[in-house]
Amino acid sequence: SDLTDPYKMLDMSKAVDRLVQAYLSNEKICIYADFDLDGTSGLSILDVSLKKIGFTNVIYYQPKRLAEGYGFHPSAVEELSSQGVRLIVTVDVGITSFAAFEKANQLGVDVILTDHHLPVTDDQGEEKLPQAYCVVKKKKKKDESGLGYLCGAGVAFYLIRALKRKFFEDNALP
């Protein structure tokens, strides 16, 4: 009861609505997570929770540390698209991966970006964000949620809280 309302996070409603759409259409979803402890924990939170909610077409991807390195990679987006993925949810990765978002947009793959890392800034100090379907959590001046301390797994937890509320409290299912 003491947890902050997840819908105070920027773009949370847009992310939840897109996940509901994916659920109703049985779209193939990929959880794309960093390979570290934070990313792996967030991946587990999303994977287990989505399946318990009733999502049946969920896969996950973690880049191989030595072969691919850190990041959200265009080649992985291309491979996932070829496997029929129409929606990617990133965990703990992606805020600086502009090329991967360009590739996703070219291929018609929506990406919900959840990341707690700082975005790139331009010469005037303005934040530059990738062209994601939505960016659920970013350290940004406009974010008044009070949740700036969350790690990637924490952002994943809040996304599930919001989705669960939509499905079960707001009776979003047919």
Side-chain angles (χ1 to χ4, degrees), residues 20-38:
V20 169
Q21 177 189 350
Y23 175 84
L24 295 174
S25 302
N26 196 33
E27 291 177 69
K28 192 169 192 177
I29 300 169
C30 179
I31 304 163
Y32 189 114
D34 189 21
F35 47 69
D36 66 6
L37 180 60
D38 187 20

Side-chain angles (χ1 to χ4, degrees), residues 15 18-20 22-23 27-31 55 84-89 108-112 133:
R18 181 63 183 90
L19 283 164
V20 169
Y23 175 84
E27 291 177 69
K28 192 169 192 177
I29 300 169
C30 179
I31 304 163
F55 285 78
V85 170
R86 301 280 41 103
L87 176 62
I88 296 171
V89 181
V109 176
D110 289 335
V111 182
I112 297 172
Y133 181 82

Side-chain angles (χ1 to χ4, degrees), residues 75-101:
S75 58
V77 172
E78 199 162 9
E79 175 60 30
L80 293 168
S81 175
S82 75
Q83 294 176 27
V85 170
R86 301 280 41 103
L87 176 62
I88 296 171
V89 181
T90 70
V91 180
D92 190 36
V93 68
I95 200 76
T96 62
S97 301
F98 295 93
F101 285 93

Side-chain angles (χ1 to χ4, degrees), residues 119-168:
V120 174
T121 55
D122 63 20
D123 294 338
Q124 289 77 39
E126 294 296 317
E127 294 177 345
K128 292 175 55 180
L129 297 171
Q131 294 299 308
Y133 181 82
C134 62
V135 182
V136 171
K137 176 67 178 80
K138 51 195 172 278
K139 291 188 176 181
K140 188 173 172 122
K141 295 173 188 169
K142 294 179 191 173
D143 181 12
E144 298 176 2
S145 68
L147 297 170
Y149 61 88
L150 289 176
C151 64
V155 177
F157 172 76
Y158 268 82
L159 178 58
I160 290 299
R161 285 190 64 228
L163 184 63
K164 186 176 175 188
R165 178 189 296 173
K166 181 75 169 178
F167 275 153
F168 298 110

Side-chain angles (χ1 to χ4, degrees), residues 48-66:
V48 170
S49 298
L50 289 173
K51 289 173 181 172
K52 284 190 178 214
I53 288 171
F55 285 78
T56 58
N57 209 358
V58 179
I59 64 170
Y60 64 85
Y61 183 89
Q62 288 182 288
K64 293 164 188 62
R65 181 184 295 264
L66 298 178

